[in-house]
Amino acid sequence: MRKKNLNFILGAILIGIVLLLVLVGIFYTPYDPNAMNGSIKNTAPSFAHWFGTDNFGRDIFSRVMEGSRTTFFVAIATVAIGTIVGTLVGAFTGYYGGALDSVLMRINDGITSFPSILLTLVIISIFGIGKYNIILALGIVFIPSFARVVRSEYMVQKEMDYVKMAKLMGASDIRILFIHILPNISSMLFSTITIGFNNAVLAEAGMSYLGLGVQPPDASLGRMLSEAQAYLFSAPWYAIAPGVMIVITVLGISLINEER
């Protein structure tokens, strides 16, 4: 079996584990993720609490399930904003060129000229901290990368014979843009989306770790790492569980993307 196939299978298994926890967590968690119990603070993993408990006596396994769902939601929403807006910008600029290309790509370059982390902080400072504001901030930051990739593909595809044939047959520009060309760049777009998803997971974890994303008592993997930093030696399981989930997610997506 080829190495790429093995990587894809391993990646699918890792993502399957994460998705199972996320999907099950929508309907069921062993304990209320926010329920506190002072009598079992920082207890080690056991049959009753598989991943142990945190400094408030909350079940870490339940919070990992909840936190993974929150992190996935933020990542998916972020990538959706970047993909939809970036694809529209890239498609129109790459296909039409001219003044539209010059104006939109200069705006795109302006956004790109800011370090992504700095631009995210600026947007958050304007709209405030919180889950939905971090989605908006990261979504805006992700738009330029999608726009550039899609634009370059459309510039190539619009010169292809199948596009010229579609024009001769009277197909409208909108139909050519989204019915003829878009499916032909789906493989490239998939790879860009998977890379963007990984970046979004890490970005959400970083922002929430700094206290700028998901706010307590809500759980996210980054928020859990932030809360666990004071207990790295006395209760290491507190940080291990969310940290491993982030690693599994990023590694799994990366291995799947290698097959593309």
Coordinates of all heavy atoms in Angstrom, one line a residue, residues 196-229:
G196 N -7.0 26.0 5.4 CA -7.6 27.1 6.1 C -8.3 26.6 7.4 O -8.2 27.3 8.5
F197 N -8.9 25.4 7.4 CA -9.5 24.9 8.6 C -8.5 24.6 9.7 O -8.7 24.9 10.8 CB -10.2 23.5 8.2 CG -11.0 22.9 9.4 CD1 -12.3 23.4 9.7 CD2 -10.4 22.0 10.2 CE1 -13.0 22.8 10.8 CE2 -11.1 21.4 11.2 CZ -12.4 21.8 11.5
N198 N -7.4 24.0 9.3 CA -6.3 23.8 10.3 C -5.8 25.1 10.9 O -5.7 25.3 12.1 CB -5.1 23.1 9.6 CG -5.2 21.6 9.7 OD1 -6.1 21.1 10.3 ND2 -4.2 20.9 9.1
N199 N -5.6 26.1 10.0 CA -5.2 27.4 10.5 C -6.3 28.1 11.4 O -5.9 28.7 12.4 CB -4.9 28.4 9.3 CG -3.7 28.0 8.6 OD1 -2.8 27.3 9.1 ND2 -3.6 28.4 7.3
A200 N -7.5 27.8 11.1 CA -8.6 28.4 11.9 C -8.7 27.7 13.3 O -8.9 28.4 14.3 CB -10.0 28.2 11.2
V201 N -8.5 26.4 13.3 CA -8.4 25.7 14.6 C -7.3 26.3 15.5 O -7.5 26.6 16.7 CB -8.2 24.2 14.4 CG1 -7.9 23.5 15.7 CG2 -9.5 23.6 13.8
L202 N -6.1 26.4 14.9 CA -5.0 27.0 15.7 C -5.2 28.4 16.0 O -4.9 28.8 17.2 CB -3.7 26.8 14.8 CG -3.3 25.4 14.6 CD1 -2.1 25.4 13.6 CD2 -2.9 24.7 15.9
A203 N -5.8 29.2 15.1 CA -6.1 30.6 15.4 C -7.1 30.8 16.6 O -6.9 31.6 17.5 CB -6.5 31.3 14.2
E204 N -8.2 30.0 16.5 CA -9.2 30.0 17.6 C -8.6 29.6 18.9 O -8.8 30.3 19.9 CB -10.3 29.1 17.2 CG -11.5 29.2 18.2 CD -11.3 28.5 19.5 OE1 -10.6 27.4 19.5 OE2 -11.8 29.0 20.6
A205 N -7.7 28.6 18.9 CA -7.1 28.1 20.1 C -6.2 29.2 20.7 O -6.2 29.5 21.9 CB -6.3 26.8 19.9
G206 N -5.5 29.9 19.8 CA -4.6 30.9 20.2 C -5.3 32.1 20.8 O -5.0 32.7 21.8
M207 N -6.4 32.6 20.1 CA -7.1 33.7 20.5 C -7.9 33.4 21.9 O -7.9 34.3 22.8 CB -8.2 34.1 19.5 CG -7.6 34.7 18.2 SD -6.7 36.3 18.5 CE -5.0 35.8 18.5
S208 N -8.4 32.2 22.0 CA -9.1 31.9 23.2 C -8.1 31.7 24.3 O -8.4 32.0 25.5 CB -10.0 30.6 23.0 OG -11.0 30.8 22.1
Y209 N -7.0 31.2 24.0 CA -5.9 31.1 25.0 C -5.5 32.4 25.6 O -5.3 32.6 26.8 CB -4.7 30.4 24.4 CG -3.5 30.2 25.4 CD1 -3.5 29.1 26.2 CD2 -2.5 31.1 25.5 CE1 -2.4 28.9 27.1 CE2 -1.5 31.0 26.4 CZ -1.4 29.9 27.2 OH -0.4 29.7 28.1
L210 N -5.5 33.4 24.8 CA -5.2 34.8 25.2 C -6.4 35.5 25.8 O -6.3 36.7 26.3 CB -4.7 35.6 24.0 CG -3.4 35.2 23.4 CD1 -3.1 36.0 22.1 CD2 -2.2 35.3 24.4
G211 N -7.6 34.8 25.8 CA -8.7 35.4 26.5 C -9.5 36.3 25.5 O -10.4 37.1 26.0
L212 N -9.3 36.3 24.2 CA -9.9 37.1 23.2 C -11.0 36.4 22.4 O -11.7 37.1 21.7 CB -8.9 37.7 22.3 CG -7.7 38.5 22.9 CD1 -6.7 38.9 21.9 CD2 -8.3 39.7 23.6
G213 N -11.2 35.1 22.6 CA -12.1 34.4 21.9 C -13.3 34.0 22.7 O -14.0 34.8 23.3
V214 N -13.5 32.6 22.8 CA -14.6 32.1 23.6 C -14.4 32.5 25.1 O -13.3 32.3 25.7 CB -14.6 30.5 23.5 CG1 -15.7 29.9 24.4 CG2 -14.9 30.2 22.0
Q215 N -15.5 32.9 25.7 CA -15.4 33.4 27.1 C -16.0 32.4 28.1 O -16.9 31.7 27.8 CB -16.1 34.7 27.2 CG -15.5 35.8 26.4 CD -14.1 36.2 26.8 OE1 -13.8 36.6 27.9 NE2 -13.1 36.0 25.8
P216 N -15.4 32.3 29.3 CA -16.0 31.4 30.3 C -17.4 31.8 30.7 O -17.8 33.0 30.6 CB -15.0 31.6 31.5 CG -14.3 32.9 31.3 CD -14.3 33.1 29.8
P217 N -18.3 30.9 31.1 CA -17.9 29.5 31.3 C -17.9 28.6 30.1 O -17.7 27.4 30.3 CB -19.0 29.0 32.3 CG -20.2 29.8 31.8 CD -19.7 31.1 31.4
D218 N -18.2 29.1 28.9 CA -18.1 28.2 27.7 C -16.8 27.6 27.5 O -15.7 28.2 27.8 CB -18.5 29.1 26.5 CG -20.0 29.6 26.6 OD1 -20.8 28.9 27.3 OD2 -20.3 30.6 25.9
A219 N -16.8 26.4 27.0 CA -15.5 25.7 26.8 C -15.1 25.8 25.3 O -15.9 25.7 24.4 CB -15.7 24.2 27.2
S220 N -13.8 25.9 25.1 CA -13.2 25.7 23.8 C -11.8 25.1 24.1 O -11.3 25.2 25.2 CB -13.1 27.0 23.0 OG -12.0 27.7 23.3
L221 N -11.2 24.5 23.1 CA -9.9 23.8 23.4 C -8.9 24.8 23.8 O -8.1 24.6 24.7 CB -9.5 23.0 22.1 CG -10.5 21.9 21.7 CD1 -9.9 21.2 20.4 CD2 -10.7 20.9 22.8
G222 N -8.9 26.0 23.1 CA -7.9 27.0 23.5 C -8.2 27.6 24.9 O -7.3 27.9 25.7
R223 N -9.5 27.8 25.2 CA -9.8 28.3 26.5 C -9.4 27.3 27.6 O -8.9 27.8 28.7 CB -11.4 28.6 26.5 CG -11.9 29.2 27.8 CD -11.5 30.6 27.9 NE -11.1 31.0 29.3 CZ -10.6 32.2 29.6 NH1 -10.4 33.1 28.7 NH2 -10.3 32.5 30.8
M224 N -9.6 26.0 27.4 CA -9.2 25.0 28.3 C -7.7 25.0 28.6 O -7.3 24.9 29.7 CB -9.7 23.7 27.9 CG -11.2 23.5 27.9 SD -11.7 21.9 27.4 CE -11.2 20.9 28.8
L225 N -6.9 25.2 27.5 CA -5.5 25.3 27.7 C -5.1 26.5 28.5 O -4.2 26.4 29.3 CB -4.8 25.3 26.3 CG -4.8 24.1 25.5 CD1 -4.2 24.3 24.1 CD2 -3.9 23.0 26.2
S226 N -5.8 27.6 28.3 CA -5.5 28.8 29.1 C -5.8 28.5 30.6 O -5.0 28.9 31.4 CB -6.3 30.0 28.6 OG -6.1 31.1 29.4
E227 N -6.9 27.9 30.9 CA -7.3 27.7 32.3 C -6.3 26.6 32.9 O -6.2 26.6 34.1 CB -8.7 27.2 32.3 CG -9.7 28.2 31.9 CD -11.1 27.6 31.7 OE1 -11.3 26.4 31.7 OE2 -12.1 28.4 31.6
A228 N -5.7 25.8 32.1 CA -4.9 24.7 32.6 C -3.5 25.1 32.9 O -2.8 24.3 33.6 CB -5.0 23.5 31.6
Q229 N -3.0 26.2 32.4 CA -1.6 26.5 32.5 C -1.1 26.7 33.9 O 0.1 26.4 34.2 CB -1.3 27.8 31.7 CG -2.0 29.1 32.3 CD -1.7 30.3 31.5 OE1 -0.6 30.4 30.8 NE2 -2.5 31.3 31.5

